Amino acid sequence: MRGLRNNGESLGYSALLALIVAGSTSTAHAAESDADTNASADSQIESVTVTARRREEAVQDVPLAVSVLNADTIEQTGTINVGRLTQLQPSVQFYSSNPRNSSVNIRGLGTPFGLTNDGIEPGVGIYIDQVYYNRNATATFDFLDVERVEILRGPQGTLYGKNTTAGAVNITSRKPTFTPEARVELTRGNYDYIQSKASVSGPLIGETLAGRLSASYTSRDGTIYNTATGQHINELDNRGVKGQLLWQASRDFKVTFSADYTEQDPIGYGQVWAKTGSTQRALNRQYDALAAASGNYQPPSFNPFDRLTDLDSPLTAIQQFGGASALAEWNIGSGQLTSVSAYRKWDWGPSNDRDFIGLPITTVSANPSKQRQYSQELRYADSGDKIDYVVGLYGFYQTVDTSGVQEQGPLASRWLLSGANANDPTILNGLRSENDIGLKNTSVAAFGQLTWHITDDLRLQPGLRVNYDKKEGKYIATVTNATNTPLTSAQRGVLAPQSYEPEFDDTNISGDFTVSYDLADDVLAYVTYARSFKSGGINLSGLPLDANNQPITAVETVDPEKTNHFEAGLKTQLFSQSLTLNLSAFWTDIDDYQATVTNSQANVIRGYLANAEQVRVRGVELELSARPLDNLNVFLNGAYTDHEYVKFPDAPCPPELSGGTAASAANPPSAPGTPGGFSPPSCDISGQWLPGVSKVALSYGFEYDLPLNALGPEGGAYFAFDGSYRSKFSSNPSRSIYTDVSGYSLANFRAGARFGDGWNVYGWVRNAFGKDYFEFLSTQSGSTGLVVAQLGDPRTYGLTVNKSF
């Protein structure tokens, strides 16, 4: 598939997608353009329908903090996947060093910041066409023929398949239609960016069977140059296809069958040298001295925004993601019974450079993984004059099998050992750990939510969920050295043989209660309390070691998170519905917060899991959209988030307090960054920031449409801008002076023309002012003081042409 990267074949693939549409245009009817993408004399903001409460209703009638992005917004702003939502939704955070190690958070909560551990659940649920996707890697896949995306903020456990304690991203695809239609889109941009999308839909057998076929392809050269291999890395190379069949068996019964397959095969993901800082390791064992002793090594640039690296281990990130589902909807009595049956698979084939520089320290780091998941959901929903309700059952089963490999190179002794051992490369060269990791994850639940209309204006909405989770795992690390002799203590201190089989099971009861009241025709107020749980877990990345280099089995399992959530909101439409203003205020306390941590061992590359005693996240959010003129739409979304570890007295220490001799009563901890100093065994980070969360985040923009009759009915030109801002945030589990990421703003522009016959042509530029910014910073293992960076995209620009038939 890598041959598709050359220009001719990439364009050929784009043309192939277009052919999906070409055969249907002779019979397809010209579809009407969506109301919110054309100039209109009506100054009202169009009503948006969502299914956030598992039934269709206007978003302004839902007593919940929910945001909606329609297909046109998604496509025209370049929001190609869940990860790109951060530029439009201030409450969403996304960080990824590679697809497996991705974090999708809402209001700062969801997935522990850092390297992924298969033994726990994400706290933000990603649902595509009502199917729960267990892996955050889903966030890196291109949207495929999406109709809308709903972002639900706050606990959603009483209605959504898994107990989503932080929120949910609910993605709805365009469905098969009995009216023939087709869409095609082609994009060309700098960095040899090519994206093509196509879909066709229509009847197959009268008014009984309809089908839809969609495909997409995205390719872009990498934005970082690897001087060691002569390749550009961190590229895009994605392709996907989805087919759907709608069987309308009767007026009251229909089934939608879906199957999809997506593949990614980029050269990525790599980081760049960012800076160095002092730790408490001995001075001759910190980065500058180690680099000098390793042949006076220097990175290709000391300016990270030169976008140069010299990673000497192979970089691959192959993903194959697919599955099938059957969504059956049956009108029974006054309500509807829904069944969602699904199978998903995810195969992950990575290779990384985990020492982050062009030296043979860790020469192999790969954790290929295969996941299979099966889920079944049954729901019955009914709406009456006084009572609306949804009740359901949910079952989920998942297996994960990972075969990890880590091997040390000829300079590993120099960088990871001390004393005379540091000068003997044979000690660690060829030291190899082969890991056999497995997970069986079972979850079953019964849930329900009821809305009682006490009066036309006042409603009470209680919800309840009973959940059972069971996890069984294994972790077997077989460590060998180059001479096939018994391991020495120095070797065990770097790669420790381990074998354990953790288990966890638990039953919990979640609930929420919402009171909503219509203060006026277009003014809704609500208050909510939720008590929810995020399933406990098991450590599947290896256990920390004690002073004798033995695994600490007491931390095999991780307790469930326990959430108390309070929220109040106001949803309004004013001035004849030409202005929408929504406000929400929230306060979330979590006991036994699941955090990714490390220990003081020099070998730790993958973190393990632990519970922080308590964290708190609270804040306010604003959503404003207005149409002050018939042809002008503006929006402003904002979030202020106050976040902290309320109590975490035994947290891992930040880099500046790590790597030294163990402190004692006679030798208290040294000042941060003291070479050769004394390091505490743990640090009290109570009161410090959570990682990955900005206190202030904004998104804003406008679109102006100029009707032009010369372009046909409803044709016209338009100009649009969207921007975003995020203030400083910490990118280390324990806040460090070296890994705070400065705030930044991004600006995107687009301008184009819509034609009355369905054509839309526009040019775009993203990160228009070429802002240099870090997505996050991380540190090299072993307390060397090296800080590496994941870079945000540079300025990109291009031209997009699409047409609806």
Side-chain angles (χ1 to χ4, degrees), residues 426-427 431 479-488 491-492:
T426 64
I427 295 177
L431 186 69
V479 181
T480 57
N481 56 29
T483 57
N484 291 316
T485 56
L487 300 177
T488 66
Q491 291 170 336
R492 288 177 175 272

Side-chain angles (χ1 to χ4, degrees), residues 36 49 90 120 126 187 225 236 242 305 319 469 479 492 599 694 727 744 747 754 774:
D36 59 331
T49 300
I120 62 164
I126 298 177
T187 298
Y225 184 70
L236 298 176
K242 182 172 186 174
F305 296 107
Q319 294 188 88
D469 291 289
V479 181
R492 288 177 175 272
N599 68 351
S694 296
S727 63
Y744 58 88
R754 301 182 182 93
F774 299 128

Side-chain angles (χ1 to χ4, degrees), residues 38 43 71 75 83 98 164 218 278 303 347 349 389 396 408 439 572-573 604 634 672:
N38 288 282
S43 63
E75 292 167 0
N98 62 54
T164 47
T218 304
S278 294
N303 177 3
D347 293 341
Y389 66 89
F396 175 86
Q408 304 306 121
L439 170 69
T572 69
Q573 287 191 308
V604 175
V634 299

Side-chain angles (χ1 to χ4, degrees), residues 4 91 103 112 125 156 172 242 263 267 347 383 388 400 466 474 506 518 561 596 620 634 646 713 720-721 729 742 777:
L4 289 173
S91 295
S103 300
Q156 307 298 325
T172 301
K242 182 172 186 174
E263 181 177 287
I267 301 174
D347 293 341
S383 298
D388 306 330
V400 181
V466 180
K474 66 173 181 178
D506 186 48
D518 293 327
E561 290 184 355
T596 299
V620 293
V634 299
V646 176
F721 161 78
F729 63 88
S742 300
L777 297 168

Side-chain angles (χ1 to χ4, degrees), residues 161-163 394 443-446 465-469 506-510 535:
K162 293 290 286 181
N163 194 2
Y394 182 80
S443 179
V444 293
R465 180 186 192 87
V466 180
N467 204 84
Y468 172 75
D469 291 289
D506 186 48
T507 301
N508 59 63
I509 299 176
S510 301
S535 170

Side-chain angles (χ1 to χ4, degrees), residues 527-577:
V527 292
T528 295
Y529 167 73
R531 170 69 168 173
S532 64
F533 293 81
K534 181 173 145 184
S535 170
I538 54 179
N539 269 304
L540 289 180
S541 291
L543 299 178
L545 307 179
D546 61 20
N548 297 316
N549 288 328
Q550 296 301 310
I552 303 172
T553 57
V555 296
E556 283 184 354
T557 61
V558 185
D559 291 338
E561 290 184 355
K562 308 169 187 67
T563 300
N564 285 297
H565 173 80
F566 304 86
E567 185 161 341
L570 191 67
K571 309 184 85 166
T572 69
Q573 287 191 308
L574 307 172
F575 307 114
S576 300
Q577 297 186 346

Side-chain angles (χ1 to χ4, degrees), residues 741-783:
V741 174
S742 300
Y744 58 88
S745 298
L746 301 176
N748 311 312
F749 296 91
R750 65 183 184 276
R754 301 182 182 93
F755 298 82
D757 57 359
W759 286 99
N760 182 18
V761 181
Y762 62 95
W764 48 267
V765 56
R766 300 180 185 122
N767 191 7
F769 302 119
K771 175 65 177 178
D772 290 331
Y773 68 100
F774 299 128
E775 289 188 343
F776 63 87
L777 297 168
S778 54
T779 57
Q780 186 184 50
S781 61
S783 301

